[in-house]
Every structure is written in structure tokens, then in C-alpha cells.
Amino acid sequence: MNLTLAKVNSLPVPTWFRLGINDTQLSETIPEVHPYEGEYLSAERPENVEISFDPFPAPDLSTGMGDGARNFTEDNRTCGVTVRVPDGVKAGKPVFLTFHLDETNPSVLDVNTVIAGEGSEVTVVMSYESRSDFFGFHGGLTRLYAEKNAVIRLIQVQMLGDGCLHYDDVGAQCGENGEVSVIQAELGGKNAAAGLKAVLKGRKSRLNLDTIYFGDRGRSIDINYVAQHVGSASRSEIHASGALLDESRKTFRGTIDFLKGAKRAVGHESEYSLLFSPKVVNRSAPLILCAEEDVEGQHAASAGKIDSNRLFYLMSRGLSELEARKLLIEAQFRPVTDRIPDPALRSAVSDYVKVRLEAIEPVSE
Amino acid sequence: MHKRKTQVEDIDRTVYDIRDRVDPSYQVGQGLTAKIVNEISAAKNDPEWMRLFRLKSLQVYNRLQLPGWGPPLDGLNMDEIVTYIRPNTGMKAKWNEVPDDIKNTFERLGIPEAERKSLAGVGAQYDSEVVYHNVREEVSRQGVVYTDMESAIRDPEYGPMVRKHFMKLVPPEDHKFAALHGAVWSGGSFVYVPPGVNVEIPLQSYFRLNAPGAGQFEHTLILVSEGASLHFIEGCSAPKYNVANLHAGCVELFVGKNARLRYSTIENWSKNMYNLNTKRAVVEEGGTIEWVSGSFGSHVSYLYPMSILKGEGSRMEFTGITFAGKGQSLDTGAKVVHAAPHTYSSINTKSISKDGGRCTYRSAVNILPNAYGCKSSVSCESLMLDDRSRSDTIPVMDIRNDDVDVGHEAKIGRISDDAIFYLMSRGISEEDAKAMIVTGFAEPIAKELPVEYAVEMNNLIKLEMEGSIG
């Protein structure tokens, strides 16, 4: 079937149209969609946490990728879970969801909801995998509701094959002193998109968002993050880093939006791109929108080559230039991947990046 | 304890807001039609190529849409704008020959005095026409040409030069208001600096729009040849009326190999003005363009000087400050295209918003595939003085090769408590510490402005501290 989603990952306020960064379009022929066959929820589950396969009748909660993507995912849902954590429950183990794209499940559209009751804590780990030569489609929609004093940790790792179209669309809402922490690793796929919008409604609510991306070959990555500060003393930390090789393309949009009344709110955003090929396309639009005086908003972005001093240091220790570069790419990802709670998944991510780095050797040299 | 808010005074506009009696010798009707464009062309005795260019621009204008981003332009109705008003005088080379009422206006603005003290030449435009133009003899002897655009177009030597460059850098197809400019432009300046010539003291053009409901569409074309250097200053103002006025000027700057051009402007239009100006520079190998920009007046501004670093080793520096008060939405910033290797750009801006004013910083840094070895550094800081105001930063970076070093930093917020504490720990009172910080915020930009604008600048950023911010 044909998938065409226009106005995806829109900037909250547009800028010059000719820059082509205001939004993107996803247009692809995707395999037929039918219900997911097989298990994707790990048998090992935390106690006192209610997990159901029924979709959550979501109230209106906007997401990073916009209405088009959200409606499409919901309308074509093939799988997904609703996780409810009762008040005061701190889930000892993560909820693991592993989605395999293969001939049985060539198109996966998962819709997931996490509701963390007052004072509760939960971690949800999602991974998307396929064979490296597989052609498939994944669209994910995840809604997070962190109520007063609740903490939700979401980890999403995408390691799909070179023929896949993929998107992760997230919407989050935090009550008073609630926290949403998200790690996204956008590592594979042919075209990958990710969007997240967090509404920091409550006083002292928090968003922590760390993302890593890895572009090689002709891969395209399109990201849109929005932290909307409503509550006073709310805090957002958005940090992205990645590497681009070969003819890959990346667009990063990150917005800190201070609404009137978000007094003493703090928003920090950074993006660091390592560039390894004269043919990469690296685009960034870090925005701060501010309607409240008593806030602190900062963003920083940098892009360029690996620092020559660091490279020289490693080469003086006996590494070849290529080995040194690979080590530095891995090192850039490490602070984020180290926070994946499952050792097997952490190791899989590490291996996945290594394989990709090995594969690019004959192309880059 | 109740905090007393800091008072940041509005600009004292008394001198700018004095209105002269409107007494044009000729003006076209309101609106924009082919008939009006032909009338303007005939009134200006355009060469045929220019008449055709105007008509083509009008077609482009009718085809293009209004921008779908930026501050609203709802209050601007082109059907109510008069695009050409000729003042009741011709161009003079001596101030005492300029009619008294117009001369008095420029006297109040300090233009003749500045010319005497610190300028190599002055052009003064009143509504749609330049009414005074003069350049020092020693500068003329260097071969520097500084004249109004109409004279340059008709000049046998420089006419072909104008035709070769006119709206080549900003084509009418660029956007709707560039097309409008192409159709109805009048007045402005032409500057040519021969190879190797260093113009040691600045040239200045000043644009005064007096008539209510009028537009001003001056065109500035500056050619700085290889190894030459120039500092050019533009200033502009208008009295306030309760109808919309429009400014859609166009500035095209050609900076030759190893040449240097500093272009300084204070845009201080009245608060009924829609300021939709387009400025662009192309810089050849080893050349430098420096922009110094102060944006204070106008109801709405769209202003983003653009630099195309075309030659290897060319450079751009942009220094800007924007101050938006009540009823103002000032959308300002800069654009740079690194189109050659080893090019360098630096953008440094500050903005202050108060009393419901809205400042938007908007920028684009483009590094093209062949532009290896480039560096770009962007820094923008915004200070908000109350929660009725708004401040947004919308930067974009588009990098298309890997041999670059691009950095961007932005900050929005109030005065840092840490900075106040630091100063207080050095024995400075809290109020003085805050005063120092707010004044110091604008100072790095203010010091880059030309000396002759210092008084105006001081008025604009006069900060009277009387309590705490926030």
C-alpha cells in the first residue's frame, strides 16, 4: 500500500520555506498491514504493573510528528500495549517490548501507552529489529502520562535493516514534579523519523531526552523534538549527538517553548554532529520560543570534523586513523547506550554500530 | 517584598516625529497597477530597459504570495499605499539650496552637522527622491563615485555598470517585496570605489519619509573594487501617522577581491511602518563584508542581511541589536551562504524586548558542498524585561560537507542571579549591579556603531535603573 504523510515533524513556527526545514513528507510504498503475529512483550514483567493489549482510549495529546502520523498509526494499529502503574508502585523491572520485522510481520504499527500513577516509577524498553537486507515498515506511537511525582523512563532502540521505513512518534505529559526520561537510538532503516512532544504541565515537571543517531550509506534521519513548558520551575534537557557518513542526511529540529506562566522554567538543548564525508547533509534548527521573562533557555549546536587533537592523541597510541575515528564514534554513543538497562540489548546496540562501522570501511577509505 | 520593575525608557522620538506639511510636486495615486508603474517610469524618465524591468517586476509581484512565516502583515494594504511622491524640489549639491522645510528636517536629525564633522559624502532622500547629494572633492579625486541612482542610470560611463548589477543579487523573483521594489523603486545611492582606493571616512545616506500612507523604495548599489575599502552608513526615520507606511528598500553590495566594506545601518522608522527591506552582499576572494545593524523602530520589520561568500577566503561579520517595545514585532537576523572554500562567518546579535514588544531572531547558515575548510560561529542573546513581551530564536544550519567547523549558541532569559551575586561580592550594590548588567548587555554591539550615531544609540538604549528586573 502507499503511505503518504505530509507535514510531518513540523516546526512549531515556520521559517523560510526555501530552506525546506519546516516539515517533511514521508512517502513510500509499504508492505500490507495486518495484525502482528507472535510475541513482542517479554515474559519477564514487573510485578504490580497492569499490562494489557487493549489500546488506551487516548485523550487529546499531541505528539512530535503531528496529527497525520499519529492518526495513521492509530487507524492502522497492528499491536501495542497499555501499561498502567498504580499510585506509589515503583516497578522493579523494565517492561520489554521487542518488535521483529520479517516476512510474517513486514509492517508493524505499534500503539503504546504508559500511565504512571502518582508517585510511581516505570521503565519501558522498546526495540525494533530486522535482518539487514529486509524491506519493511515500522510506525510507532507512544503516549506517556507521568502523574504527580511519577517517573517514566522510555528507551527506544531502532536497529532496522537498510530497506526499512521507520518512525517513532511520542507524546508525553508530566504532572507536578513528574518526570519523563527518554532515550532514543536511531541507528538503522533507510528512512527514519522521530518526533517527540512533551507538555510539562505541572510545577517542577521534567523532560530528559537523549538521542543518538547514526547515518551511513544513503540513510535519511529526520527528528523533531518539542519541550513545551507550562508549569512553573519545569525543566527540559534535550541532548542529541550523532555521526554522519557516506551520503547520509539528517535533519534535527529541537524546540524549547516557554509558555506564559512558566516562571523559573529552565530549558537546555544541545546537538553535536560528527561529519565524516564530503557528501553528507546535516541540517539543524534549534529553536527557543519564549513568552515568559523569568526563564532560562539555552541551546547550542555544533557540527564538524573530529577534533584533530583527539585524533592525533589516539593515533600516537598506535591506532590507524580509521580505527581512531571508529573509536571516537563509539565513544560518542557510549554515554547514552550505557544507560540501556538490559545488558543483552546494550550489547546488541554496540555490535550493531560496530558492524556498521566495519561495513563503511571500504566505502569511506 | 514587592519588587519595583526596572524602567527601560522608550526611545525619545520627539525629533523624528515632527511632521512637515506634505507638499509634493507630484505623486501617483494609491495602489499598484501597470498604469502607476508606467507613470513612475515616465516621471523618472527611465531608460526603456528599466521601464520594461519595472513592468516585469510587477508581473512577478502579482504572481507571488505573501510570506507564510514571520509577523502578520494584515495591516498593510497595498491598495492604500502611494508608491511615488516627488518632493517640491530637485536634487541640490548645497544644503542652503534645499527648501527650508526639508532642510530644517535634516538639520533636526543632525545630518548636515554630521557631514561637516565626520563624513566624506552625504545623500539625503526625502520621500521618493534624493534632495541633496554631495561628496568631498578629495574623495571624488580618488575616482570614487557617490551619486543618486537616477543620475547613475543615466550616466554614460556608469549607466552600463548599473544595468549590469541592478537587482542581479536580489532578483524580483526572490520574494514579493523584492518584486514590489523592482516595480516602483525610486531614489537611493550608487557608490563605486575604484581598485585599491581606501575611502578613509564614511559615506552616508539618510532616508526620510514624511508623507502619511506612503512607501519608500530606495535602491542602494555599492561596488567596491579589488583591494578597495569603504564604510557606508545608512540611517532612516519617519514621523508617526495613524496609517500604515511601507519601506521596501533594496541594498545590493558587491565586494571585490581583497576588498572590504563595512555597512552600518540604524533602522529607526516610526511605529506605523512596515519595514520589509532586503539587503544582500556578494564577496569575492579574500574580501570582507561587515554588517552593523540596529533595528529599533517600525511596527513590523523583516530584516535579514544576507552575505554570499563567493570567493575563497572571503569573510562576513554581522553585529546586530534589536529593541522592540509596545506594538512592535521585529523579526531580524542574518543569512550567510558559504559558497567557497575557507570562508568565515560570524554572527553576533542581541535583542531586548519590553512592554509587549516581540523580538524574533531568525537566521540561516548554509555551507555548500564545495565550501570545505569553512568556519561559522553564531551567537544570539535575548533579554526579556517583562512577561508581556516575547522573544523567539529561529536559527537554521544547513551543512553539506564534512570539513567545517560550525558552532551556534543562543540564550534567552532574564538577568543572571549569579552575575548579580558576583558583582555584589565585589562591593557593588544590587541596583548598580543590575544596571551594569543591563547596560553591559547592549554595549558590545553599541561600540561597533559609527561614532556619529552614538547619540542616537544612547537614546535608544537608555536604561534608567530604578529597582530590580523581574
Side-chain angles (χ1 to χ4, degrees):
Chain A
M1 68 183 281
N2 289 324
L3 168 74
T4 302
L5 298 174
K7 305 276 181 197
V8 167
N9 276 354
S10 297
L11 280 177
V13 292
T15 190
W16 297 293
F17 294 143
R18 68 184 58 176
L19 296 175
I21 203 165
N22 286 327
D23 52 52
T24 192
Q25 176 169 310
L26 297 179
S27 182
E28 200 94 13
T29 302
I30 60 171
E32 285 305 312
V33 176
H34 55 76
Y36 193 95
E37 293 181 27
E39 294 292 330
Y40 50 86
L41 175 63
S42 167
E44 196 178 345
R45 299 169 199 176
E47 293 172 1
N48 300 328
V49 172
E50 179 193 321
I51 303 176
S52 79
F53 292 94
D54 300 326
F56 179 71
D60 191 28
L61 178 64
S62 55
T63 56
M65 293 186 66
D67 294 347
R70 191 181 69 238
N71 292 338
F72 179 82
T73 319
E74 248 177 347
D75 293 346
N76 295 279
R77 178 183 183 276
T78 64
C79 54
V81 296
T82 298
V83 177
R84 284 178 184 276
V85 192
D87 292 357
V89 169
K90 296 189 189 322
K93 296 174 187 166
V95 176
F96 287 103
L97 297 162
T98 306
F99 301 93
H100 288 279
L101 273 64
D102 52 26
E103 282 72 10
T104 313
N105 298 297
S107 283
V108 174
L109 287 127
D110 56 317
V111 178
N112 307 289
T113 306
V114 182
I115 304 142
E118 188 172 331
S120 68
E121 281 187 29
V122 66
T123 300
V124 179
V125 182
M126 299 176 181
S127 66
Y128 303 93
E129 299 163 12
S130 77
R131 288 196 324 268
S132 64
D133 61 347
F134 187 71
F135 164 77
F137 165 64
H138 164 248
L141 168 62
T142 305
R143 293 190 179 92
L144 309 173
Y145 299 89
E147 295 180 4
K148 186 177 177 182
N149 297 324
V151 177
I152 298 176
R153 297 181 202 91
L154 173 70
I155 294 155
Q156 294 182 308
V157 177
Q158 182 265 112
M159 297 182 290
L160 294 171
D162 291 340
C164 292
L165 171 67
H166 155 91
Y167 65 76
D168 272 323
D169 188 18
V170 181
Q173 184 175 292
C174 289
E176 184 181 336
N177 200 37
E179 176 178 327
V180 165
S181 288
V182 178
I183 291 175
Q184 284 189 325
E186 297 294 347
L187 303 174
K190 175 184 158 206
N191 292 316
L196 180 147
K197 182 175 179 182
V199 182
L200 301 174
K201 280 180 89 169
R203 185 176 158 271
K204 288 193 170 180
S205 53
R206 298 177 299 284
L207 167 71
N208 299 310
L209 173 54
D210 291 279
T211 190
I212 52 175
Y213 55 82
F214 184 65
D216 61 354
R217 305 185 187 185
R219 203 178 309 284
S220 167
I221 303 159
D222 195 284
I223 294 170
N224 184 43
Y225 295 145
V226 180
Q228 190 178 71
H229 290 259
V230 180
S232 61
S234 50
R235 186 175 188 100
S236 62
E237 297 283 342
I238 300 174
H239 302 289
S241 66
L244 297 176
L245 304 94
D246 305 330
E247 297 185 18
S248 60
R249 303 168 67 90
K250 180 230 73 186
T251 300
F252 175 85
R253 305 175 194 83
T255 302
I256 297 170
D257 187 4
F258 296 110
L259 300 191
K260 193 171 175 180
K263 289 189 179 301
R264 299 184 307 287
V266 175
H268 295 151
E269 179 185 8
S270 70
E271 202 222 341
Y272 180 46
S273 302
L274 282 176
L275 310 178
F276 289 93
S277 156
K279 293 181 178 173
V280 296
V281 175
N282 178 47
R283 304 194 303 168
S284 300
L287 275 58
I288 305 179
L289 310 176
C290 186
E292 168 59 52
E293 65 166 323
D294 189 5
V295 296
E296 176 193 320
Q298 273 187 40
H299 65 222
S302 65
K305 295 185 294 187
I306 282 180
D307 177 47
S308 57
N309 291 329
R310 294 170 72 193
L311 208 55
F312 177 78
Y313 176 83
L314 290 173
M315 291 169 70
S316 72
R317 296 294 184 271
L319 294 179
S320 71
E321 183 178 345
L322 187 64
E323 286 168 334
R325 286 176 186 272
K326 288 176 182 175
L327 192 64
L328 287 168
I329 293 175
E330 285 188 73
Q332 184 168 354
F333 293 164
R334 187 59 68 83
V336 176
T337 55
D338 277 355
R339 287 160 52 203
I340 297 172
D342 176 34
L345 181 59
R346 200 163 56 233
S347 172
V349 168
S350 178
D351 291 347
Y352 183 86
V353 171
K354 275 183 187 160
V355 168
R356 285 224 170 275
L357 287 171
E358 291 304 319
I360 58 104
E361 189 169 357
V363 181
S364 294
E365 285 242 298
Chain B
M1 192 184 92
H2 176 67
K3 283 183 177 178
R4 292 159 70 200
K5 290 279 186 180
T6 298
Q7 299 300 307
V8 178
E9 286 191 338
D10 266 335
I11 296 156
D12 178 1
R13 291 197 52 90
T14 314
V15 70
Y16 307 112
D17 278 341
I18 295 172
R19 305 166 186 175
D20 295 339
R21 186 168 57 90
V22 179
D23 180 26
S25 67
Y26 173 75
Q27 71 176 60
V28 296
Q30 290 178 321
L32 187 61
T33 62
K35 180 171 172 290
I36 285 174
V37 170
N38 273 320
E39 269 184 52
I40 294 172
S41 194
K44 295 171 71 64
N45 195 21
D46 276 344
E48 181 63 4
W49 70 266
M50 179 56 78
R51 189 182 73 82
L52 296 174
F53 182 87
R54 288 178 184 278
L55 290 170
K56 182 190 142 213
S57 298
L58 177 64
Q59 288 176 350
V60 177
Y61 174 84
N62 288 329
R63 196 177 72 230
L64 295 181
Q65 302 293 310
L66 285 168
W69 45 273
L73 297 170
D74 310 345
L76 178 63
N77 182 354
M78 272 312 294
D79 292 338
E80 294 173 353
I81 295 287
V82 177
T83 52
Y84 181 75
I85 297 182
R86 182 193 292 158
N88 198 10
T89 178
M91 189 176 74
K92 311 296 181 192
K94 292 181 180 169
W95 277 113
N96 60 14
E97 292 174 0
V98 175
D100 284 347
D101 54 344
I102 296 176
K103 187 173 65 187
N104 289 342
T105 296
F106 286 112
E107 290 278 2
R108 279 196 304 272
L109 295 165
I111 308 304
E113 189 187 353
E115 181 187 8
R116 284 191 294 272
K117 280 184 179 172
S118 57
L119 297 171
V122 158
Q125 178 163 336
Y126 194 84
D127 289 334
S128 300
E129 293 289 345
V130 176
V131 295
Y132 171 79
H133 224 290
N134 192 23
V135 61
R136 284 192 189 181
E137 202 178 320
E138 63 268 30
V139 175
S140 291
R141 275 203 302 270
Q142 287 180 293
V144 175
V145 177
Y146 177 36
T147 185
D148 64 297
M149 280 299 298
E150 285 83 352
S151 301
I153 283 179
R154 288 192 284 269
D155 186 279
E157 190 175 352
Y158 300 107
M161 206 183 279
V162 174
R163 185 172 183 178
K164 183 180 169 189
H165 293 93
F166 187 87
M167 293 201 80
K168 293 296 193 297
L169 206 46
V170 183
E173 293 79 8
D174 206 65
H175 59 82
K176 193 167 181 77
F177 293 98
L180 172 66
H181 178 91
V184 300
W185 76 272
S186 56
S189 305
F190 172 74
V191 181
Y192 168 72
V193 185
V197 170
N198 173 24
V199 184
E200 290 182 354
I201 44 180
L203 302 176
Q204 175 179 297
S205 283
Y206 199 95
F207 302 99
R208 175 72 177 176
L209 182 56
N210 180 62
Q216 195 168 50
F217 307 96
E218 81 285 353
H219 192 93
T220 301
L221 176 59
I222 300 177
L223 311 174
V224 185
S225 306
E226 182 173 341
S229 70
L230 172 72
H231 183 187
F232 191 84
I233 302 165
E234 272 190 3
C236 36
S237 67
K240 183 168 184 191
Y241 294 105
N242 54 7
V243 293
N245 276 43
L246 170 63
H247 176 233
C250 179
V251 175
E252 297 182 288
L253 311 174
F254 293 83
V255 182
K257 187 176 175 182
N258 297 322
R260 174 181 289 267
L261 172 60
R262 172 175 271 222
Y263 183 93
S264 304
T265 320
I266 292 205
E267 302 257 358
N268 187 19
W269 299 107
S270 57
K271 290 186 182 178
N272 58 314
M273 180 68 80
Y274 285 81
N275 181 31
L276 311 171
N277 213 358
T278 309
K279 302 180 181 185
R280 198 162 293 169
V282 62
V283 189
E284 304 292 342
E285 183 184 337
T288 299
I289 177 76
E290 295 173 356
W291 304 91
V292 179
S293 180
S295 297
F296 303 99
S298 84
H299 171 51
V300 167
S301 272
Y302 283 59
L303 185 61
Y304 327 97
M306 178 178 183
S307 308
I308 301 166
L309 301 177
K310 183 182 167 198
E312 183 158 0
S314 53
R315 299 166 68 88
M316 176 281 250
E317 289 181 26
F318 180 90
T319 306
I321 187 161
T322 300
F323 185 112
K326 186 177 180 182
Q328 293 184 275
S329 183
L330 306 188
D331 202 301
T332 62
K335 297 193 250 189
V336 58
V337 178
H338 289 256
H342 303 295
T343 47
Y344 170 87
S345 67
S346 169
I347 298 173
N348 186 7
T349 69
K350 305 234 180 191
S351 72
I352 302 171
S353 47
K354 60 162 289 209
D355 285 348
R358 180 172 188 148
C359 284
T360 302
Y361 167 78
R362 193 183 297 271
S363 67
V365 174
N366 288 68
I367 298 187
L368 302 187
N370 66 331
Y372 52 84
C374 294
K375 286 190 177 182
S376 176
S377 159
V378 178
S379 167
C380 56
E381 287 186 71
S382 304
L383 194 60
M384 287 178 65
L385 300 185
D386 57 61
D387 60 7
R388 287 171 293 146
S389 303
R390 190 170 174 93
S391 185
D392 298 335
T393 70
I394 309 172
V396 174
M397 285 148 278
D398 187 325
I399 301 163
R400 305 215 169 203
N401 78 74
D402 62 336
D403 186 7
V404 296
D405 181 358
V406 178
H408 173 100
E409 283 183 75
K411 283 184 198 168
I412 285 182
R414 66 205 298 256
I415 293 177
S416 150
D417 290 340
D418 291 346
I420 293 167
F421 178 77
Y422 174 82
L423 290 170
M424 288 173 71
S425 73
R426 296 292 183 273
I428 297 166
S429 74
E430 183 178 352
E431 300 215 343
D432 285 348
K434 286 170 180 168
M436 285 173 73
I437 291 164
V438 177
T439 310
F441 178 78
E443 194 268 342
I445 308 289
K447 75 179 183 187
E448 293 296 321
L449 292 168
V451 174
E452 57 274 20
Y453 278 74
V455 174
E456 184 174 351
M457 183 68 195
N458 285 342
N459 280 336
L460 300 179
I461 59 169
K462 189 173 174 187
L463 306 171
E464 183 184 301
M465 304 302 290
E466 180 189 270
S468 62
I469 288 210

